[in-house]
Structures are given as structure tokens and as C-alpha cells.
């Protein structure tokens, strides 16, 4: 007979790294196998198990270098700002872009088929005097003016039955022989919220 509290960890059999000891349905010690990468330990009120991490923090994308377009009104994909979205989910998207140009410009987001983009965009030093534009539905184009300019986005993407990519695009509003520069440090954050 061994008295209570006499077995130390040193006296127990070896357990593989990452495994956990818990009490099973019979009240006996049991070992929970190691979970997969990025899984978290959950409890259903009776037993422990591993599950995919829920929620999580936001993801941030920051432009690592200036990107320039000259003499083109054709939307171009931004080199840095795009992200994948899953079907039947809602994402929050926010950020600030710094744009240097001597002419009007336009920005938009392409979204998966059936998705909806809605929210607000605001800016400083807008040539037409507008501070905030609201947009929703299938219309994803947003036009802004003047330079230098910082525009801020606060948006939601409601994805229907088809996942895909949210891609930030921009161009000169009309082809012009001067540079339009999306500046290094422009950034976006996004997070699945439902």
C-alpha cells in the first residue's frame, strides 16, 4: 500500500512531450494525445478535446514599398493588399492608404461572386469637399480626389456561398502623364467576425 500523495512526477512513466494527464470517465488517470498545430484545448463539461482555435486576432497587411502607376486609368491589383475569404462568412476590413498624385484617382475592391461590400470611406483634403461616402451592394468603386491624400476605410464583406479573394485595386481616374503613388506604410486589417 502506498500512502496518499507519495507518487512524484519522477516516479511516473515517461509521457511524450505535449501530452496531458487528466481524469477519465472511470476516475482513472489518462493521457490526452497531442493536438495538431494551432489547436486549442476545449472542454464540453465532461471531457477534454482538441479543436481548431476560434475567433483569433486580426490580420494586418502593410505595404512594404511605394507602388506607382503612370498614364493609366485601368484598375490594377495592389501588390500587397488582398486576402482570402471563406464562403458564408462576414469580415470586417479597415485601413488607411496614403496616396500621392497630381490628378484624380479611383480605388475599388473586387470581391467573390455573390459577396456584398458595405461600410464607409473617409479622407482628408478631398478635392470635392466630401469627407465620407457610403456605399453598398454590388457597387464596389469608390472615387476620391486631390493629393496628398490619406483615405480611411471601415468596411464589411459579407461572403455568400462562394469564397475567394478580396483584392484592393486603384488607378488614375483618367490617364495622366504624372505618377500616382500608393505609399509604403499604407495598411489594412481584416478579421472574420461571423
Amino acid at each position: 500500500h502506498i500512502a496518499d500523495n507519495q507518487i512524484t512526477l519522477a516516479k511516473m512513466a515517461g509521457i511524450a512531450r505535449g501530452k496531458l494527464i487528466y481524469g477519465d470517465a472511470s476516475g482513472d488517470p489518462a493521457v490526452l494525445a497531442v493536438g495538431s498545430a494551432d489547436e486549442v484545448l476545449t472542454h464540453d463539461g465532461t471531457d477534454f478535446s482538441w479543436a481548431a482555435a476560434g475567433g483569433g486576432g486580426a490580420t494586418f497587411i502593410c505595404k512594404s514599398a511605394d507602388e506607382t502607376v503612370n498614364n493609366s486609368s485601368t484598375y490594377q491589383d495592389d501588390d500587397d493588399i488582398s486576402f482570402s475569404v471563406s464562403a458564408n462568412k462576414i469580415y470586417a476590413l479597415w485601413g488607411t492608404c496614403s496616396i500621392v498624385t497630381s490628378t484624380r484617382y479611383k480605388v475599388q475592391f473586387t470581391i467573390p461572386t455573390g459577396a456584398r461590400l458595405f461600410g464607409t470611406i473617409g479622407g482628408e483634403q478631398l478635392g470635392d469637399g466630401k469627407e465620407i461616402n457610403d456605399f453598398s451592394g454590388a457597387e464596389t468603386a469608390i472615387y476620391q480626389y486631390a493629393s496628398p491624400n490619406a483615405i480611411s476605410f471601415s468596411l464589411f464583406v459579407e461572403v455568400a456561398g462562394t469564397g475567394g479573394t478580396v483584392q484592393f485595386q486603384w488607378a488614375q481616374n483618367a490617364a495622366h502623364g504624372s505618377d500616382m503613388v500608393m505609399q509604403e506604410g499604407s495598411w489594412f486589417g481584416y478579421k472574420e467576425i461571423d
Side-chain angles (χ1 to χ4, degrees):
H1 174 66
I2 301 173
D4 291 346
N5 300 317
Q6 296 300 305
I7 304 294
T8 65
L9 289 176
K11 302 288 185 193
M12 297 176 69
I15 299 172
R17 182 178 183 177
K19 292 186 176 184
L20 301 172
I21 299 172
Y22 69 101
D24 67 12
S26 303
D28 295 323
V31 175
L32 182 64
V34 176
S36 297
D38 298 322
E39 284 188 321
V40 295
L41 186 62
T42 63
H43 193 274
D44 63 6
T46 304
D47 293 310
F48 290 103
S49 63
W50 296 104
T59 300
F60 291 91
I61 304 167
C62 186
K63 289 194 70 59
S64 58
D66 287 352
E67 187 174 349
T68 303
V69 66
N70 184 292
N71 204 28
S72 176
S73 62
T74 302
Y75 279 113
Q76 69 172 33
D77 289 350
D78 187 88
D79 288 345
D80 300 295
I81 301 174
S82 69
F83 62 96
S84 297
V85 292
S86 299
N88 304 308
K89 301 289 184 183
I90 298 174
Y91 295 82
L93 166 64
W94 63 99
T96 300
C97 290
S98 180
I99 301 165
V100 176
T101 184
S102 61
T103 186
R104 293 180 179 204
Y105 62 91
K106 56 190 178 182
V107 299
Q108 75 172 6
F109 295 86
T110 59
I111 55 180
T113 302
R116 193 167 84 102
L117 178 70
F118 55 97
T120 59
I121 175 176
E124 298 174 4
Q125 302 173 353
L126 302 182
D128 62 358
K130 294 178 183 175
E131 291 187 5
I132 296 178
N133 295 323
D134 293 321
F135 54 97
S136 62
E139 178 58 52
T140 59
I142 308 154
Y143 295 86
Q144 297 294 335
Y145 313 95
S147 178
N149 198 347
I151 53 175
S152 297
F153 300 92
S154 180
L155 308 169
F156 295 93
V157 180
E158 186 177 66
V159 185
T162 303
T165 301
V166 173
Q167 174 68 58
F168 181 55
Q169 297 181 322
W170 49 277
Q172 294 173 324
N173 195 48
H176 190 274
S178 62
D179 288 346
M180 174 187 174
V181 180
M182 187 68 62
Q183 291 189 299
E184 176 183 357
S186 296
W187 64 273
F188 281 77
Y190 67 93
K191 182 180 186 336
E192 179 186 317
I193 58 172
D194 186 27

